[in-house]
Amino acid sequence: MKSFTHYKERVLKHLDDEEQMFKIGMGLKFLGVSVICTVSVLLFTYLLIRIDLIFFVAHGFPGALDFKEAFIEFIYSSLYDEVIWIALSGFFVFALGYYLSGIMIRPFKVIGQYCDDKISDKKNYYTPDFFSDLKLLTSFSVFFFTKVDEGAIKGKLGQVEIPTHFTRIHKPNFERNFFFNYLFIIAIFALMSSLGIIALNLEFRDQVSDLARRFLADNKQATYFLDEQFVIADIAVYFFVSLHLFLYFLLGVHMYSKVATPAFAVFATMRSFLKGNHHNRVHLIGYYYLRGDCRKINKYLDHVQKNLT
């Protein structure tokens, strides 16, 4: 009973964590895209075959009733056979979205942690990952912390001259490398996921074809009609797969938008602070998952303003 209560408290605490909820939400969005497209493909194929069954039975094709019963039994048995594989695939899709969302907000966590350590007088070095981080935020934060450290040595932080290429930026900058690095990962996964959907659909259709050959072998018209239906169905399958890839592209754009604006806000605040506007702080509305990191940055700015200005 005690262990259950402890586990329950941990789960509730986890759900109260805004950053964790953001990661879980992104994982569910990844899972939702794959589930919607997979179900759409299989449902379309299923409905198409059910229409064929009605046609076969209505025209009294020999073996049609036996084929109908075998088909329905096959549907239920397939669900049981594939449930573990489907669950594992769903968990992997969710885990990928969860992981990528964590990596995308990592630049803010690195800055926030460094600010927290500096206030606590912990020895820490600001070492951002220039490959995966936001270039504008990363490069300027290095410049910002360097100038603050120089001010600490002098005992006072005066107005700092900002490099020209930083002063010309007045809106969120499109981080081409950052965007395409993560879009490439999402695209690779989307292609793998699409191939999985196609393979699952083909396996489903092969099983149905085997049933048709077994119960409708003597009726070439019925088997020909079913085969031609599958050829036509390919058009719909490829449409759903293309939609699947497009939705993942939109999801990549959506994820990028979740960090592009906050990155500019932190950059603009740091730039203004170095110019002498020491009362400026980071204020983000709607980006709840970065609230904790922004608090650390603002506390650090309070600390610098109090001790070096």
Side-chain angles (χ1 to χ4, degrees), residues 134-136 171-180 256 260:
L134 296 157
K135 185 177 179 181
L136 174 63
K171 61 181 180 179
N173 195 30
F174 178 62
E175 302 279 358
R176 186 180 296 105
N177 292 336
F178 181 85
F179 176 75
F180 284 109
Y256 175 76

Side-chain angles (χ1 to χ4, degrees), residues 247-285:
L247 288 177
Y248 267 110
F249 171 78
L250 292 181
L251 191 56
V253 174
H254 172 68
M255 288 185 70
Y256 175 76
S257 69
K258 292 292 185 179
V259 296
T261 300
F264 175 76
V266 175
F267 156 76
T269 301
M270 288 181 169
R271 181 179 61 183
S272 180
F273 192 91
L274 290 183
K275 286 182 176 181
N277 301 316
H278 298 137
H279 292 283
N280 277 13
R281 298 295 182 266
V282 181
H283 298 289
L284 293 175
I285 300 176

Side-chain angles (χ1 to χ4, degrees), residues 52 55-56 59-62 212 216-229:
D52 293 341
F55 178 79
F56 296 155
H59 286 76
F61 286 177
L216 302 172
D218 296 333
N219 196 313
K220 294 183 179 180
Q221 290 179 323
T223 54
Y224 174 79
F225 182 79
L226 194 63
D227 290 339
E228 289 301 309
Q229 282 279 43

Side-chain angles (χ1 to χ4, degrees), residues 24-157:
I24 292 173
M26 292 307 302
L28 291 176
K29 289 177 182 178
F30 268 72
L31 180 61
V33 170
S34 288
V35 168
I36 289 172
C37 292
T38 302
V39 171
S40 297
V41 169
L42 294 180
L43 181 61
F44 176 81
T45 304
Y46 171 78
L47 292 176
L48 191 67
I49 296 173
R50 285 303 299 265
I51 293 173
D52 293 341
L53 290 174
I54 295 173
F55 178 79
F56 296 155
V57 173
H59 286 76
F61 286 177
L65 289 174
D66 294 332
F67 177 46
K68 181 178 180 179
E69 293 177 1
F71 172 71
I72 295 174
E73 182 181 348
F74 157 72
I75 290 296
Y76 287 110
S77 63
S78 296
L79 290 176
Y80 288 118
D81 293 339
E82 302 292 341
V83 67
I84 296 179
W85 181 87
I86 293 174
L88 290 175
S89 299
F91 176 78
F92 175 76
V93 173
F94 171 83
L96 178 70
Y98 183 93
Y99 173 75
L100 283 181
S101 61
I103 293 297
M104 293 193 79
I105 63 175
R106 181 177 176 274
F108 301 93
K109 300 202 69 61
V110 172
I111 293 176
Q113 187 60 51
Y114 178 78
C115 290
D116 196 38
D117 291 342
K118 291 292 286 185
I119 294 175
S120 305
D121 291 328
K122 294 180 181 179
K123 289 186 177 180
N124 189 10
Y125 298 97
Y126 182 59
T127 54
D129 182 358
F130 284 89
F131 173 76
S132 61
D133 282 354
L134 296 157
K135 185 177 179 181
L136 174 63
L137 179 61
T138 299
S139 58
F140 191 80
S141 59
V142 170
F143 175 78
F144 175 81
F145 290 127
T146 299
K147 292 302 178 181
V148 172
D149 288 341
E150 291 176 358
I153 295 174
K154 298 176 183 177
K156 184 176 179 61
L157 178 65

